[in-house]
Amino acid sequence: MTNSVGNEWAAALITEIKDPKNYIISSENAVVIYDKYPKARHHYLVLPKAVIPDVFHLNLGHLSLLEEMHFLAQNVIEVKSFQLDDFKIGFHAQPSMQRLHLHVISKDFVSDCLKKKRHWVNFNTEIFLQYQDACIKRFTKEKIEELTASTLQCNQCEFGAKKLPDLKRHLLEHWAQRQSDKFLF
Ligand code: AMP
Ligand code: ZN
């Protein structure tokens, strides 16, 4: 059961998209905003203008909207002059916030807002859904708990960590290495 504070918190994205000043870019049926608690160096959200609460309300009739949202996701990466390969684009199978939202997130995962194992698992296991699968793939609560309890596998090498702080230190090393590689070449 959710209380009124919980409801208000879950509705924050709906409030954000009421103000066009929050849009980075938009299209006929969707908008892109900044994620307020980015879980990586760059993190955006693509939301439909239509009232679609979450992935559980999607069906195959929404495929063209999902394609438009995916196009906007690629577009914002281009507008920001980043590389498509450096980003992940997808939905959480078990979202916490209302109004359907497609995550656009850089693969570094270097962020003070990445605080829970669940944050890592949401973006780096099979529960991060491709836009085409958002209408059809469903996971049980038990499956999500099992993935959250497993070893946290680095997304850039074979390293695995039991604890999030160990993974975060490791990710920071990857990121620092990439920065120095960029500087050298
Ligand atoms: P999910 O787990 O897919 O429901 O993710 C919800 C996302 O919304 C998270 O990445 C949050 O950091 C983000 N978020 C929460 N509140 C806001 C807000 N007011 N404006 C923008 N993004 C938000
Ligand atoms: Zn690694």
Side-chain angles (χ1 to χ4, degrees):
M1 197 167 71
T2 18
N3 57 28
S4 63
V5 176
N7 285 337
E8 215 174 285
W9 179 81
L13 296 180
I14 299 171
T15 309
E16 296 292 336
I17 63 167
K18 281 186 185 147
D19 186 353
K21 284 205 286 294
N22 292 331
Y23 304 170
I24 308 171
I25 52 172
S26 62
S27 63
E28 192 184 344
N29 298 304
V31 305
V32 187
I33 64 170
Y34 288 100
D35 192 296
K36 197 170 173 183
Y37 309 100
K39 306 300 183 295
R41 305 285 295 181
H42 311 288
H43 190 178
Y44 317 108
L45 300 173
V46 186
L47 302 102
K49 292 179 184 171
V51 179
I52 303 173
D54 50 41
V55 282
F56 307 115
H57 288 76
L58 286 174
N59 56 54
L60 291 174
H62 290 109
L63 267 182
S64 71
L65 171 67
L66 293 177
E67 273 163 16
E68 183 174 331
M69 289 172 67
H70 188 249
F71 180 76
L72 263 190
Q74 292 175 304
N75 222 217
V76 72
I77 298 169
E78 203 178 310
V79 164
K80 294 284 184 182
S81 304
F82 295 133
Q83 298 293 318
L84 197 56
D85 275 357
D86 292 334
F87 280 78
K88 298 187 85 163
I89 300 172
F91 292 96
H92 290 163
Q94 193 71 256
S96 57
M97 307 284 293
Q98 271 179 39
R99 182 58 59 92
L100 181 70
H101 50 277
L102 178 64
H103 290 270
V104 184
I105 186 161
S106 56
K107 291 177 183 169
D108 53 85
F109 292 96
V110 169
S111 167
D112 290 343
C113 295
L114 191 92
K115 290 182 174 156
K116 296 178 180 171
K117 276 179 125 182
R118 178 173 54 79
H119 293 151
W120 175 258
V121 170
N122 272 346
F123 291 103
N124 291 287
T125 67
E126 62 209 272
I127 59 178
F128 192 66
L129 303 175
Q130 300 290 311
Y131 75 93
Q132 303 95 323
D133 294 338
C135 317
I136 46 174
K137 275 204 179 170
R138 300 286 175 253
F139 289 83
T140 60
K141 205 165 158 265
E142 289 72 27
K143 175 72 182 167
I144 292 175
E145 277 167 10
E146 182 195 315
L147 288 167
T148 311
S150 315
T151 301
L152 303 168
Q153 187 60 52
C154 175
N155 61 344
Q156 294 159 72
C157 75
E158 295 302 311
F159 178 81
K162 267 276 165 230
K163 294 188 175 147
L164 188 64
D166 296 335
L167 178 69
K168 289 190 70 164
R169 260 192 302 279
H170 176 80
L171 292 170
L172 191 58
E173 283 169 18
H174 275 303
W175 183 77
Q177 183 64 50
R178 288 201 66 179
Q179 297 315 299
S180 65
D181 289 350
K182 270 189 206 159
F183 187 69
L184 285 174
F185 299 108

